[in-house]
Amino acid sequence: MKFESFARVLGKKSEPEEEKKPEAHIEEIVPPRLRNEEAERIIQEKVDLQSIEDKLDTLRASPYESPIDPFNKKEGVVKAAARLVLELRDRLPHYETILSDDASGRLVSLLLKKIIDHKKEEMGKEKTEMFFLASGRHGSAAIDKSIRKFIGKKRKELGKTLLITEYIGTGKSIEKLTKTLEDKHIDFDIAALSIERLPQHYGDSEFPRHIYYGALGKQGLSFYDQENFGGVTKGEKGPHPIKSGFAVKSDVERARKEIAVVADGLENLLS
């Protein structure tokens, strides 16, 4: 199967929009991003996307097994992950802590951690610490309070931090975490597999000044509400997710193997 170009993956309308110059007051605060043509050229040179997909196929019993597989090639997830790693490539080895926006952000967080830790090992550095936060679209004041308390308690230990999520839609959930991290004076960036609209189109939200993303679109939604692959769900009050009663062991194990395949295939982007 031939791979589509990034232009097709992100949509024919999204590329011109993505490269449109931001408004002046936004241009100064939104992290810089490679132009699509340059990003595609680098990825084609350094990553064998077809080989990654072929290896993922060998982990599936049949093409029809688990059609909601979060690494489903039809959703362009691997390509979005490649672009995210490329955008962060100079920064990844320097993060001391990862905060995973669980439960849906867990697999993306595990993927980036694997890439980060391998690079850190090459550099003789310690592995990155990771904490899983039961954040996102839950509407629980008790969980929000417990997360703020946890971050406040850990603030002196976090160091340079990467907050990882799978998808940003309205931006309301990630904005709450952003405000907490800023209030606690944490030095952090945000990594999202995909976002619904351009950073400059999120109004007065503060998170765009921290955001690095893989794709403009819904690719990250492949990971939403995937308890059987992530193995966890949100609790009722605590800051961390809890083990899911609906998780399927074989799916959880296969997801971890898929993460290893994708991580191995994308590590050349850091060289």
Side-chain angles (χ1 to χ4, degrees):
M1 174 181 176
K2 297 293 184 182
F3 276 86
E4 302 168 357
S5 68
F6 267 85
R8 185 175 178 183
V9 172
L10 298 180
K12 292 182 179 179
K13 295 182 180 180
S14 67
E15 181 173 341
E17 180 184 12
E18 186 170 350
E19 297 190 351
K20 184 170 62 176
K21 186 176 181 179
E23 297 177 15
H25 69 287
I26 292 292
E27 188 177 27
E28 297 179 359
I29 61 173
V30 174
R33 182 173 172 83
L34 290 169
R35 293 185 65 84
N36 285 344
E37 293 91 343
E38 177 67 4
E40 184 173 357
R41 180 189 65 78
I42 295 172
I43 290 171
Q44 287 179 347
E45 287 179 357
K46 291 182 173 288
V47 180
D48 188 342
L49 293 172
Q50 185 64 63
S51 175
I52 294 174
E53 290 289 6
D54 290 344
K55 290 176 181 178
L56 290 176
D57 280 340
T58 65
L59 297 175
R60 301 171 181 131
S62 78
Y64 307 102
E65 181 191 13
S66 197
I68 57 172
D69 182 346
F71 286 99
N72 190 324
K73 70 183 72 176
K74 294 180 181 178
E75 302 302 328
V77 171
V78 175
K79 299 173 187 178
R83 181 65 182 270
L84 179 58
V85 171
L86 180 60
E87 294 296 332
L88 284 166
R89 63 178 174 176
D90 295 329
R91 307 177 72 83
L92 287 177
H94 305 293
Y95 292 114
E96 298 168 77
T97 303
I98 289 172
L99 296 178
S100 177
D101 180 21
D102 266 28
S104 299
R106 174 165 290 229
L107 297 183
V108 180
S109 298
L110 291 172
L111 171 62
L112 289 181
K113 177 172 169 55
K114 195 169 187 66
I115 294 173
I116 291 171
D117 285 347
H118 186 265
K119 185 63 177 180
K120 281 193 166 188
E121 184 179 5
E122 290 181 351
M123 300 169 69
K125 291 186 174 183
E126 293 184 3
K127 291 183 177 181
T128 300
E129 187 75 66
M130 181 155 68
F131 298 103
F132 301 97
L133 301 179
S135 48
R137 291 167 280 185
H138 50 71
S140 169
I143 292 179
D144 287 339
K145 182 178 180 179
S146 64
I147 288 175
R148 288 194 298 271
K149 183 177 180 180
F150 174 79
I151 291 175
K153 183 179 179 181
K154 291 284 185 180
R155 69 183 185 279
K156 294 182 179 180
E157 306 170 29
L158 297 179
K160 181 64 176 177
T161 298
L162 183 63
L163 171 61
I164 302 176
T165 190
E166 83 288 1
Y167 170 78
I168 296 176
T170 64
K172 291 180 180 179
S173 297
I174 207 70
E175 180 71 4
K176 286 193 295 184
L177 277 174
T178 296
K179 188 176 188 309
T180 297
L181 292 170
E182 289 185 339
D183 287 348
K184 302 302 181 182
H185 305 290
I186 308 299
D187 179 14
F188 73 101
D189 295 323
I190 300 171
L193 189 71
S194 74
I195 60 177
E196 185 63 30
R197 53 184 185 267
L198 294 173
Q200 61 264 33
H201 294 164
Y202 279 95
D204 296 328
S205 298
E206 291 298 316
F207 77 84
R209 70 177 66 240
H210 303 279
I211 189 72
Y212 293 85
Y213 62 97
L216 187 67
K218 300 184 183 297
Q219 289 85 343
L221 284 178
S222 292
F223 296 93
Y224 181 68
D225 198 23
Q226 299 285 2
E227 288 184 34
N228 54 320
F229 290 104
V232 296
T233 187
K234 293 177 176 64
E236 295 182 0
K237 296 182 179 180
H240 309 298
I242 60 176
K243 186 175 180 179
S244 171
F246 297 98
V248 180
K249 184 179 179 181
S250 60
D251 284 344
V252 172
E253 291 176 346
R254 183 159 59 88
R256 299 308 187 271
K257 292 178 181 178
E258 291 183 340
I259 286 171
V261 167
V262 178
D264 289 345
L266 300 184
E267 284 179 351
N268 279 344
L269 289 170
L270 271 63
S271 61

